[in-house]
Amino acid sequence: MPADDEDMETRLSAGECIDPPSSFRQQANLSDEAVYEEFAADWPDAWARAGDRLDWDTEYDRVLGGDRPPFRWFEGGRLNACYNCLDRHLDAGRKNKVALKWEGRLGESRSYTYLELYREVNQFAAALRDLGVEEGDVVTLYMPMIPELPVAMLACARIGAPHLVVFAGFAADALAMRMDSAGSEYLVTCDGYYRRGTPVHQKNKADNARIELDHDVDATVVVDRLGDETPLDDDEYGYRDLLAAHRGTEVDPVHRDASDPLFLIYTSGTTGEPTGVRHTTGGYLAHVTWTSHAVLDIKSEDTYWCSADIGWITGHSYIVYGPLALGTTTMLYEGAPDHPEKDRVWELIERNAVDVFYTAPTAIRTFMKWGEQYPEQHDLSSLRLLGTVGEPINPRAWKWYYEHIGGEECPVVDTWWQTETGGMIVSTLPGVDEMKPGSAGRPLPGIGATVVDADGTRVDPGEAGYLVLTDPWPGMPLSMAENEGWFVDREPTRPVLDRFDWAYFSEDGAAVDEDGYITLLGRVDDVINVSGHRFGTMEIESAITDVEGVAEAAVVSAPHDLKGQSVLAYVCLAEGYDEEPLRDTIQDAVGTAIGPIAVPDAVVFTPDLPKTRSGKIMRRLLSSVARGEELGDMSALRNPEIVGELETAFDGNN
Ligand code: PRX
């Protein structure tokens, strides 16, 4: 190990802190520690700092209305998110600045200036209106990482139609379930796209979803990505034809109430079906704009790259809304990180002189595995700040990122948040705080977050507990603000009463240290985090039990070097069915019902599942078998004889 690596290892193992470089502090958007105190002393009014980064059509009367649910952030305010992301930059001298830089999968690239993006968004907004979309209608967007996706999002925002982006890799069933649940009658999709050089026929998946829907779709817009001639039905429209029909049209941005929904997004939880989260126009936009400024340190002159997919919340908040509201250049990358070569990401950073890079620990672990020779081939000195999100980052990966990508010159922000929080909640402020690899940091200024035990009592430093948010925050979704079941009425049973008789249980385990830094310990519910993507075990189980011949299934996570966690399925077959042909069928069924990333890495056939006397599957035991851990207390088990068989079956499969 080279000397500097040894140094770093010693510092890490001692849990030592690393100061942000002074060159960074000097230019940081936030560099005064007093910001924490200012928010604490003047809460919630200090959140006006976030609200005032936006342009309002009607100024808000109060930063936070309601001292119990429903909470109304920026109450009385009216605004338009598209106006804030586009129109206001035209007057601020940014009309010829690049807003969106797209790098396509086949090596193509396309840039849109703020003026060009404004024009295309207006034309598409006019087209949507023409197709019958009215304020409040939900428009589903089912597209890969192509510029038409953010264009469609902003066009929806312009006319006050909440968008529902469905990850392009999801299957027809998953699309249909979301459209049905949201009552969405409009769909924007594309003919197809390329994955690893082979075309995926997205339109076919969309057609299949339409067949499954409980209701009719009024209009479908199809973006031509593959360049093939796609035959269109009467209620289907080509994207380019629509733009051409509305060339030069401008659409006035609709003034939306701060609490009106900007979009819906579905995420996995403990229930069998994904649940919809509705984010607001004012609070959400203020939260993501403020954190893009305070945590990602984005400046309008920057070129910024978040490598997430827009199909997830990270892409909504930190590819589209936050960065565009700040008038920066945001990159959109459709390709794979190893195509044409494993230096692709670093080549893109060098070529585009990227200032800020935000990615996931799973990607960092993959880059580490490929080796530092790839980043070393490139000049990465344009980088100023690095970020991660989606899952805990282990100190070794943190160190590699800091050293080999940031050259020890860039702070690393480990940002903890969720689909439900809309924007970042726990992170260091890179111009203020020291960094502790492996620990996300303190709650951001103005955020009330703490770690409690099952009774809702704060735990001592170093003890594990549940991460709860004790104060409302601007990016909170509508259901939570309105208290549709988000009160602490489940574990932990007693809310931590700081300001309100209210708290949000994040379903994450965590520990806090003497300095208030929070280390995340993973989900405490039945959610599996594969490469930073959430899947409920019940969703996957129900796809498996739909397969003919499957009697029962239980899904657990297993640790995985690159993905963080992988999906492992234990399956019992009905009498008379053979294992081998069903293994592929089961994997295909999950791929079809949910999507390729949810497919189990291993299917373990077992004659029975371990059950408690009350008939509940003992997942803890299944996880322990998968991890090769001590099996612990099995006295609650009704069928202890199954344990030996499970271990044998597991070993036989791995
Ligand atoms: O378990 C936490 C993990 O990801 C979950 C949220 O997933 P999702 O809603 O898909 O949003 C991902 C992007 C914000 C959390 O409950 N998670 C997210 N960020 C971190 C994390 N775990 C540890 N450290 C993080 N920085």
Side-chain angles (χ1 to χ4, degrees):
M1 191 187 286
D4 55 342
D5 267 18
E6 261 175 50
D7 250 26
M8 174 77 83
E9 274 303 315
T10 325
R11 274 186 280 158
L12 287 178
S13 54
E16 247 181 62
C17 310
I18 298 172
D19 277 323
S22 59
S23 54
F24 182 88
R25 269 185 209 265
Q26 278 156 19
Q27 62 75 59
N29 286 346
L30 277 190
S31 55
D32 187 353
E33 189 168 16
V35 63
Y36 285 98
E37 194 36 50
E38 286 163 19
F39 266 88
D42 190 23
W43 195 95
D45 293 342
W47 275 110
R49 281 189 185 224
D52 295 349
R53 298 214 141 257
L54 303 180
D55 281 6
W56 297 83
D57 301 314
T58 310
E59 271 304 318
Y60 51 88
D61 307 317
R62 280 206 292 172
V63 170
L64 176 62
D67 52 11
R68 51 175 297 113
F71 295 114
R72 302 250 168 240
W73 281 93
F74 307 110
E75 191 175 42
R78 295 185 76 78
L79 78 167
N80 183 280
C82 176
Y83 177 92
N84 274 279
C85 290
L86 297 179
D87 306 39
R88 64 173 177 163
H89 301 312
L90 306 185
D91 302 333
R94 292 189 199 115
K95 68 179 191 312
N96 291 323
K97 186 190 151 91
V98 174
L100 200 67
K101 209 171 211 183
W102 176 68
E103 298 278 355
R105 201 170 281 266
L106 302 181
E108 329 87 309
S109 52
R110 211 194 297 162
S111 289
Y112 292 71
T113 62
Y114 272 92
L115 181 60
E116 286 164 342
L117 191 57
Y118 168 87
R119 286 182 175 149
E120 188 154 327
V121 165
N122 270 276
Q123 289 163 20
F124 194 55
L128 287 175
R129 275 235 176 111
D130 228 32
L131 295 176
V133 180
E134 290 179 5
E135 188 175 352
D137 287 345
V138 177
V139 180
T140 303
L141 311 178
Y142 185 50
M143 281 180 273
M145 292 284 281
I146 52 177
E148 289 79 1
L149 176 54
V151 167
M153 292 162 80
L154 293 166
C156 288
R158 196 164 190 87
I159 59 174
H163 53 72
L164 162 58
V165 178
V166 177
F167 176 58
F170 277 156
D173 294 13
L175 172 64
M177 178 259 137
R178 286 160 177 76
M179 287 185 77
D180 265 335
S181 161
S184 173
E185 294 171 348
Y186 298 92
L187 175 65
V188 185
T189 185
C190 65
D191 52 354
Y193 62 98
Y194 299 93
R195 198 165 60 216
R196 306 218 165 257
T198 21
V200 174
H201 292 284
Q202 192 75 350
K203 173 76 170 35
N204 292 353
K205 292 198 283 175
D207 289 344
N208 289 338
R210 283 186 59 171
I211 296 167
E212 284 176 42
L213 280 180
D214 292 342
H215 64 272
D216 289 337
V217 170
D218 286 354
T220 301
V221 178
V222 184
V223 176
D224 176 6
R225 169 74 185 104
L226 293 180
D228 301 342
E229 280 293 312
T230 311
L232 298 177
D233 284 343
D234 287 351
D235 58 354
E236 297 178 333
Y237 304 85
Y239 177 85
R240 290 281 145 205
D241 298 339
L242 290 177
L243 289 192
H246 294 88
R247 181 150 297 127
T249 316
E250 294 201 347
V251 173
D252 285 339
V254 171
H255 297 189
R256 300 280 279 164
D257 190 277
S259 292
D260 281 339
L262 175 61
F263 65 85
L264 280 80
I265 185 164
Y266 279 74
T267 190
S268 300
T270 34
T271 60
E273 294 220 320
T275 43
V277 173
R278 282 176 305 153
H279 278 294
T280 65
T281 308
Y284 168 84
L285 192 63
H287 192 129
V288 300
T289 306
W290 163 251
T291 45
S292 296
H293 168 81
V295 180
L296 294 174
D297 198 55
I298 292 177
K299 301 171 172 58
S300 69
E301 315 78 78
D302 284 346
T303 296
Y304 158 82
W305 183 17
C306 165
S307 72
D309 192 291
I310 295 179
W312 314 108
I313 190 71
T314 307
H316 284 62
S317 302
Y318 298 110
I319 294 178
V320 180
Y321 286 111
L324 290 178
L326 292 178
T328 196
T329 299
T330 185
M331 275 183 42
L332 201 64
Y333 180 52
E334 189 194 24
D338 57 352
H339 186 83
E341 293 297 334
K342 292 195 172 79
D343 68 337
R344 178 65 166 159
V345 168
W346 321 120
E347 185 265 321
L348 284 171
I349 290 180
E350 177 175 13
R351 178 149 51 85
N352 292 291
V354 170
D355 298 88
V356 178
F357 181 54
Y358 191 32
T359 193
T362 183
I364 298 168
R365 290 192 295 266
T366 305
F367 300 144
M368 249 174 104
K369 190 182 105 189
W370 292 343
E372 49 261 24
Q373 66 274 24
Y374 294 106
E376 273 165 11
Q377 292 164 16
H378 296 279
D379 176 3
L380 304 180
S381 59
S382 61
L383 287 171
R384 185 174 81 242
L385 176 76
L386 300 172
T388 82
V389 60
E391 39 169 338
I393 178 161
N394 46 313
R396 191 170 292 278
W398 191 102
K399 166 204 157 176
W400 189 89
Y401 196 33
Y402 181 67
E403 243 182 44
H404 295 289
I405 309 307
E408 301 198 17
E409 293 291 327
C410 306
V412 174
V413 285
D414 172 1
T415 61
W416 178 91
W417 56 290
Q418 306 178 305
T419 306
E420 292 86 343
T421 69
M424 299 167 184
I425 294 290
V426 180
S427 166
T428 48
L429 287 176
V432 174
D433 296 311
E434 49 191 22
M435 300 167 275
K436 300 188 188 187
S439 170
R442 288 183 280 175
L444 289 172
I447 297 288
T450 192
V451 181
V452 300
D453 64 17
D455 293 330
T457 310
R458 276 199 176 75
V459 299
D460 289 333
E463 268 182 41
Y466 304 106
L467 180 65
V468 293
L469 307 193
T470 52
D471 296 335
W473 64 97
M476 70 197 309
L478 269 172
S479 47
M480 211 184 285
E482 289 165 353
N483 181 31
E484 288 166 14
W486 289 95
F487 242 90
V488 177
D489 55 0
R490 45 200 300 187
E491 280 192 293
T493 48
R494 186 153 46 84
V496 203
L497 302 178
D498 275 320
R499 273 179 248 265
F500 301 100
D501 186 13
W502 183 92
Y504 163 60
F505 178 29
S506 71
E507 314 262 358
D508 266 30
V512 63
D513 73 8
E514 301 282 351
D515 299 325
Y517 277 51
I518 295 173
T519 296
L520 279 306
L521 304 172
R523 302 282 298 194
V524 297
D525 58 3
D526 293 330
V527 166
I528 301 182
N529 189 329
V530 186
S531 302
H533 303 310
R534 272 164 70 166
F535 297 100
T537 49
M538 275 181 65
E539 285 166 64
I540 305 178
E541 284 163 8
S542 82
I544 297 177
T545 45
D546 275 351
V547 172
E548 193 192 321
V550 171
E552 246 190 328
V555 160
V556 296
S557 67
H560 189 280
D561 284 351
L562 299 179
K563 299 194 256 189
Q565 295 187 325
S566 65
V567 177
L568 177 64
Y570 291 89
V571 176
C572 312
L573 296 184
E575 285 291 319
Y577 284 89
D578 289 337
E579 293 176 0
E580 276 328 307
L582 277 179
R583 189 184 303 277
D584 286 349
T585 318
I586 288 169
Q587 290 183 316
D588 289 350
V590 178
T592 309
I594 304 171
I597 22 175
V599 171
D601 277 18
V603 177
V604 177
F605 292 104
T606 164
D608 201 357
L609 291 170
K611 298 223 176 103
T612 61
R613 285 175 215 290
S614 58
K616 273 177 82 176
I617 297 172
M618 217 168 160
R619 286 167 203 286
R620 176 178 59 75
L621 195 126
L622 293 170
S623 301
S624 300
V625 171
R627 287 172 166 73
E629 293 168 353
E630 284 290 315
L631 298 185
D633 182 12
M634 284 186 284
S635 54
L637 214 55
R638 188 183 63 193
N639 51 347
E641 68 286 353
I642 193 65
V643 174
E645 300 209 38
L646 271 175
E647 286 178 316
T648 315
F650 181 78
D651 291 345
N653 274 275
N654 282 272

